[in-house]
Amino acid sequence: DCVRVFAPATSANFICGYDILGLALEDPGDEITLRKVDSPGIKITKITGDLGLLPLDPEKNTVSASIKMVLDHLRIKNIGLEIELFKKMPIGSGLGSSAASTIAGLFAINQLLGAPLTKQELLPFALKGEELACGHGHADNVAPSLLGGITLIHSYSPLHVINLPVPKKLCCSIIFPHVEVPTRAARKILKTQTELKNAVSQWGNIAGLVTGLFTEDYNLISSSLKDYIIEPTRSFLIPEFEEMRNIAIKSGALGFGISGSGPSVVAFTQGIEKAKEITKMLKQHLGKKSIESNGYSSAI
Ligand code: HSE
């Protein structure tokens, strides 16, 4: 009557695919222990690694709130649950922190109940969790955290998610500069209109990237990893953004951009060695400017 679940961090947008593309990272990831107990009600008994930032109130915490939605949907009443949440990544970092915790919780409750729902059926509850966490129910973190690999949100209404192929050598380096950029704020500043020529370039890139993933064409992937619409508005929130891009691209990255809504940045590479090299260089660069940084080199 107890399950422990790991859900991976994710990098949303894949540079050109705002709100529709995302990928799961090998590490880090959040963990949850969910235990059935006799006294009814949902309790969060422990949270570690959140620097005291997350609410223990089960109504406000996205993990317990999404578990409650599943219980309501399945008309399960009077169940007693205790949740322990072990956060293994910084909050508001651009690594899908809230999504990983929500997915771990949803997967855990489904397992504890004997898996009445499919993974696809769990997704709408995860979207509601994201809405609670940052004001908008985007699926590009929760989908890859739940389904793994690279995911495409083909449609939001109705929700239709597709797993895309992952080229064998595709890796990434993610660097987290220690500034806070909450997703809610990073979405608010975005323009609601774009020039047609930018839209044309962007959808050309999305199609090019997806084709590159299917054909394992690293040149095509590389030339598609540009963002004409979101990055120009958001990148000023991230210190040293252009400098970091220059370092990554000069060192042979396939592409560079913002991970999710930032402040983490991501450099895509062919091979883990290149990712590690870029992680080291970017860390060194930020270190010199005395910004604390964490580097993750991850296979997807
Ligand atoms: N697609 C979302 C955004 C991801 O860019 O705001 C947030 O993690």
Side-chain angles (χ1 to χ4, degrees), residues 132-146:
L132 194 65
C134 58
H136 184 266
H138 50 274
D140 49 346
N141 290 115
V142 287
S145 187
L146 180 65

Side-chain angles (χ1 to χ4, degrees), residues 7 38 45 48 112 129 180 192 214 239 261-262 281:
D38 289 336
T45 51
T48 64
L112 208 60
E180 211 193 323
T192 52
F214 272 95
S261 57
M281 290 174 76

Side-chain angles (χ1 to χ4, degrees), residues 56-106:
L56 280 160
D57 178 349
E59 302 276 321
K60 294 194 181 128
N61 189 294
T62 57
V63 177
S64 38
S66 0
I67 288 178
K68 172 94 178 21
M69 283 187 254
V70 171
L71 295 176
D72 289 347
H73 172 78
L74 296 171
R75 298 200 172 83
I76 297 174
K77 285 184 194 130
N78 298 326
I79 190 172
L81 294 171
E82 280 182 5
I83 302 169
E84 290 175 346
L85 170 59
F86 306 93
K87 290 231 51 95
K88 305 281 175 76
M89 67 187 100
I91 293 164
S93 56
L95 289 166
S97 170
S98 58
S101 301
T102 303
I103 290 299
L106 288 173

Side-chain angles (χ1 to χ4, degrees), residues 12-13 18-19 138 140-141 183 187 234 260-261:
N13 299 345
Y18 175 73
D19 275 3
H138 50 274
D140 49 346
N141 290 115
T183 298
R187 295 182 75 87
R234 271 185 180 166
S261 57

